[in-house]
Amino acid sequence: MKVVVDTTKCKDHGQCVFAAPDVFRLDDGGRLAFVAEPDAALRDDVEEAADVCPLQAISIED
């Protein structure tokens, strides 16, 4: 599984951080940081993060 974030859409709202904290975080500057290839066991959390993203900037590739 590969997590893709469209940085032209992402505005660092951070909803993904709450849905999948093992994959997404906000860095010290408030910008989104993420694990591009997280463990497959985290798929449900990543799917939830993609769903709750207000700008639909997150996608998953298999």
Side-chain angles (χ1 to χ4, degrees), residues 5-49:
V5 176
D6 183 338
T7 57
T8 64
K9 289 183 180 180
C10 178
K11 299 299 180 197
D12 306 310
H13 290 186
Q15 295 304 305
C16 56
V17 176
F18 297 107
D22 292 328
V23 179
F24 300 95
R25 67 178 181 85
L26 295 177
D27 67 16
D28 292 338
R31 301 295 317 224
L32 182 67
F34 64 98
V35 178
E37 294 187 15
D39 188 279
L42 297 170
R43 186 178 189 93
D44 286 346
D45 290 347
V46 174
E47 288 177 352
E48 177 67 17

